[in-house]
């Protein structure tokens, strides 16, 4: 719920606003006061407000005074200024003083109010987030007046931008060298074009070419230096401003824009590098890695090269035939796919199937699929891994055959065999051993019970030998 402190002395306006917000945004709670003094008392109370909506003209002062107090005390709330007709210039001044937005009281303004309030609150939260992560800017400027004006402006209007001032290009390079050695860093460079000695263009070339740094760079030029600024953009500057009236108000946005654009490029490069790394892993994997899009039409989006070695079909053949994943499955195992589709077998559980290779050879495979759904719950894709387990299945079949022969020999010779499953602490008896102990075929007693079948004098020795083997 958004809590709003509405500072307005016109009771009709208060009533109309409350009615409009109740209709459009019933989750908003509005407390109305009619003067600056009442607003100060409300803000001093324990209750918390998310936003102050302040009329510009009040009985005991200006809404700008309230705005200034809120920002001076660093109260954590957004501020929207309401103005009458003809007060637009004052409203713009309010924005410069720290208001998050303003709204002119003209026909239909109340219908726009909910959007303005939500946008102002989001703007305030974004600014608060920026305050928690200050932007460290190395500012190269030799003019004391420009330095002082820029510092004062940042402290007042963009306190999250921290300026470190150096007078020359040499001092910039020295600072960057120290950063490289210590692991510290600045977030952006702000360069005046006319630096003593090495100018900003030469410095920019050194930063980009010799130091190989991708730091965001904003250039400040004087009147008549626009051509130099364009040249700076070609050399890798991210933005430039001309020293004309109001340029300091553009400066925070220019620095932030340059910083975020460079961060975006860095993130894109990192993502691309990560994608390339995982692609190399997938390309060199021995198992088949794949993605099948199910919507709007079923088709292979990706199949790695291992498909050729395992199935005989190339990735390109998989892309060309969306039904190849079904055709590969042995006819006697296709009912398992139907069970998966019907939900009788979970799609994310291991699925063992026989496949028929391109050369006609039958192989055993084990698949693990991860289903992907959209927000409506529609299955849109399957991502999975399939591996050839033919050797494992053949070994299992051989083991079963040997076990059957062992049981047959045991029954014939009246002897049995047993093994121990340490994970379950259980002894696995052959059918003949179970029969010797008058137990049903397939009986597997716990280890303690099995040892108790020995006569008492032997139990201690058996326990000791068993424990030694287990360890």
């Amino acid at each position: 719920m958004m809590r709003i402190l509405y500072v307005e002395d016109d009771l009709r306006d208060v009533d109309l606003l409350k009615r409009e917000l109740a209709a459009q945004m019933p989750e908003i709670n509005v407390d109305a006061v009619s003067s600056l003094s009442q607003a100060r008392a409300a803000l001093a109370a324990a209750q918390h407000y998310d936003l102050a909506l302040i009329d510009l003209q009040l009985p005991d002062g200006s809404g700008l005074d309230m705005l200034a107090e809120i920002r001076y005390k660093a109260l954590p709330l957004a501020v929207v200024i309401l103005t009458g007709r003809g007060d637009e210039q004052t409203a713009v001044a309010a924005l410069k003083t720290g208001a998050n937005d303003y709204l002119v009281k003209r026909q239909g303004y109340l219908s726009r109010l909910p959007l303005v309030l939500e946008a102002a609150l989001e703007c305030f939260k974004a600014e608060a987030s920026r305050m928690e992560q200050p932007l460290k800017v190395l500012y190269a400027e030799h003019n004391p007046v420009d330095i002082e004006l820029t510092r004062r402006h940042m402290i007042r209007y963009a306190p999250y931008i921290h300026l470190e001032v150096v007078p020359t290009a040499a001092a910039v390079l020295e600072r960057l060298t120290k950063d490289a050695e210590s692991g510290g860093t600045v977030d952006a460079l702000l360069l005046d074009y006319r630096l003593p000695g090495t100018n900003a263009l030469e410095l920019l070339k050194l930063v980009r070419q010799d130091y190989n740094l991708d730091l965001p760079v904003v250039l400040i030029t004087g009147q008549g230096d626009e051509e130099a600024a364009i040249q700076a953009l070609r050399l890798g500057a991210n933005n430039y401003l001309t020293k004309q009236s109001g340029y300091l108000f553009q400066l925070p946005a220019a620095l932030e824009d340059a910083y975020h654009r460079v961060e975006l490029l860095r993130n894109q490069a990192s993502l691309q590098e990560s994608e390339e790394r995982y692609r190399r892993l997938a390309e060199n994997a021995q198992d088949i890695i794949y993605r099948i899009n199910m919507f709007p039409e079923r088709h292979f989006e990706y199949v790695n090269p291992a498909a050729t070695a395992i199935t005989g079909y190339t990735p390109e053949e998989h892309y060309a035939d969306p039904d190849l994943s079904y055709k590969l499955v042995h006819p006697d195992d296709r009912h398992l796919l139907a069970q998966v589709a019907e939900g009788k077998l979970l799609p994310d559980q291991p699925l063992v199937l026989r496949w028929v290779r391109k050369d006609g050879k039958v192989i055993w495979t084990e698949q693990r699929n991860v289903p992907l759904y959209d927000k409506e719950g529609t299955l849109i894709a399957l991502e999975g891994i399939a591996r050839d387990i033919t050797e494992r299945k053949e070994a299992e079949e051989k083991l079963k055959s040997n076990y059957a022969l062992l049981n047959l020999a045991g029954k014939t010779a009246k002897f049995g065999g047993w093994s121990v499953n340490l994970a379950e602490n259980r002894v696995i008896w052959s059918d003949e051993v179970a029969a010797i102990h008058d137990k049903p075929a397939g009986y597997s007693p716990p280890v303690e019970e099995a040892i108790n079948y020995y006569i008492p004098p032997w139990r201690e020795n058996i326990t000791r030998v068993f424990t030694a083997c287990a360890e």
Side-chain angles (χ1 to χ4, degrees):
M1 174 182 290
M2 186 191 303
R3 297 202 61 189
I4 296 176
L5 176 63
Y6 182 25
V7 189
E8 171 63 74
D9 62 324
D10 189 322
L11 296 182
R12 290 175 303 173
D13 284 350
V14 172
D15 182 61
L16 288 171
L17 182 141
K18 284 188 172 182
R19 288 173 182 270
E20 185 70 24
L21 290 183
Q24 291 197 50
M25 302 179 72
E27 69 277 9
I28 288 183
N29 185 1
V30 179
D31 291 341
V33 296
S34 59
S35 66
L36 294 182
S37 59
Q38 292 178 1
R40 292 187 185 102
L43 291 173
Q47 53 192 332
H48 170 72
Y49 292 103
D50 300 297
L51 185 145
L53 180 62
I54 307 173
D55 188 62
L56 193 61
Q57 304 296 332
L58 293 165
D60 53 349
S62 167
L64 295 181
D65 297 332
M66 188 78 256
L67 168 62
E69 288 183 34
I70 289 172
R71 292 298 177 243
Y72 177 76
K73 295 178 180 178
L75 299 180
L77 70 162
V79 177
V80 174
I81 297 293
L82 286 172
T83 74
R85 289 179 180 272
D87 289 332
E88 285 87 346
Q89 291 300 320
T90 307
V92 172
L95 292 177
K96 295 180 180 180
T97 308
N100 299 103
D101 207 344
Y102 75 93
L103 192 59
V104 179
K105 290 181 178 179
R106 57 167 59 100
Q107 185 69 31
Y109 82 96
L110 286 175
S111 63
R112 293 186 55 238
L113 185 60
L115 290 178
V116 172
L117 296 178
E118 288 184 335
L121 185 57
E122 288 303 312
C123 175
F124 175 77
K125 290 178 178 179
E127 290 178 358
S129 177
R130 286 198 295 267
M131 291 291 289
E132 293 176 358
Q133 297 179 333
L135 190 64
K136 295 176 288 185
V137 177
L138 185 60
Y139 178 26
E141 172 63 77
H142 67 291
N143 187 317
V145 175
D146 286 342
I147 292 172
E148 186 62 22
L149 288 174
T150 304
R151 271 184 165 162
R152 288 184 179 183
H153 185 89
M154 293 301 182
I155 290 171
R156 182 172 183 181
Y157 299 109
Y160 56 90
I161 296 180
H162 296 181
L163 294 179
E164 178 184 342
V165 182
V166 293
T168 64
V172 171
L173 297 176
E174 182 181 355
R175 176 69 166 80
L176 296 178
T177 300
K178 287 182 179 178
D179 277 354
E181 294 172 350
S182 64
T185 185
V186 295
D187 297 315
L189 295 178
L190 177 60
L191 308 178
D192 185 73
Y193 172 64
R194 296 184 179 277
L195 293 173
T198 304
N199 67 28
L201 291 183
E202 295 168 342
L203 174 59
L204 185 56
K205 289 174 70 174
L206 290 171
V207 169
R208 292 290 188 241
Q209 298 173 11
D210 291 25
Y211 282 68
N212 196 29
L213 295 176
D214 65 346
L215 279 174
V217 177
V218 174
L219 186 71
I220 300 178
T221 69
Q223 295 287 347
D225 290 330
E226 288 83 356
E227 183 60 36
I230 295 173
Q231 182 64 23
L233 293 177
R234 294 194 185 105
L235 291 173
N238 301 97
N239 205 342
Y240 78 92
L241 294 174
T242 303
K243 287 183 181 178
Q244 55 190 0
S245 177
Y247 85 95
L248 287 176
F249 285 101
Q250 302 172 25
L251 185 55
L255 286 168
E256 284 191 71
D257 178 67
Y259 174 75
H260 289 299
R261 275 195 287 165
V262 170
E263 279 293 290
L264 178 61
L265 290 174
R266 289 171 179 168
N267 290 337
Q268 288 175 341
S270 177
L271 179 61
Q272 184 176 358
E273 181 182 347
S274 177
E275 288 176 346
E276 287 297 322
R277 183 167 60 251
Y278 285 113
R279 180 171 290 276
R280 287 194 299 270
L281 289 173
E283 299 290 297
N284 294 314
Q286 301 300 307
D287 298 334
I288 301 176
I289 300 174
Y290 55 88
R291 177 187 170 101
I292 304 175
N293 285 348
M294 310 299 289
F295 184 84
E297 294 181 349
R298 185 162 55 87
H299 67 277
F300 281 96
E301 181 179 332
Y302 175 77
V303 181
N304 71 335
T308 305
I310 294 177
T311 70
Y313 293 96
T314 65
E316 289 71 25
E317 289 176 291
H318 283 77
Y319 300 143
D321 186 355
D323 294 325
L324 189 53
S325 60
Y326 179 80
K327 295 175 182 177
L328 275 170
V329 178
H330 193 284
D332 293 343
D333 288 351
R334 288 176 183 170
H335 68 283
L336 296 174
L337 295 180
Q339 291 181 25
V340 171
E342 294 167 3
K344 296 178 181 178
L345 294 176
L346 296 177
D348 56 349
Q349 295 299 310
L351 180 62
V352 176
L353 298 169
R354 284 171 293 177
W355 284 1
V356 182
R357 285 173 44 91
K358 189 175 184 179
D359 59 11
K361 180 181 177 182
V362 176
I363 61 173
W364 285 92
T365 63
E366 180 183 80
Q367 297 174 246
R368 288 182 177 271
N369 294 311
V370 178
L372 302 177
Y373 302 92
D374 63 13
K375 292 185 294 185
E376 285 72 36
T378 302
L379 178 65
I380 59 173
L382 282 176
E383 293 180 348
I385 297 176
R387 62 181 48 180
D388 185 347
I389 61 168
T390 303
E391 290 186 2
R392 191 182 85 189
K393 292 293 290 185
E394 289 175 348
E396 289 174 356
E397 291 300 320
K398 186 175 181 180
L399 184 61
K400 288 180 181 178
S401 176
N402 291 341
Y403 184 75
L405 288 173
L406 179 63
N407 266 337
L408 179 60
K411 289 178 180 179
T412 303
K414 300 299 182 182
F415 72 86
W418 52 268
S419 62
V420 178
N421 186 327
L422 292 176
E424 299 180 6
N425 195 40
R426 188 169 293 278
V427 179
I428 302 170
W429 281 347
S430 69
D431 294 345
E432 190 63 26
V433 171
I436 291 172
H437 291 85
D438 295 324
K439 297 293 183 182
Y443 183 72
S444 299
V447 170
E448 294 78 8
E449 179 186 335
I451 291 176
N452 285 333
Y453 281 106
Y454 290 89
I455 61 175
W458 283 93
R459 290 175 189 167
E460 184 177 346
N461 291 335
I462 292 294
T463 300
R464 184 173 62 254
V465 172
F466 173 79
T467 302
C469 291
E471 293 175 348

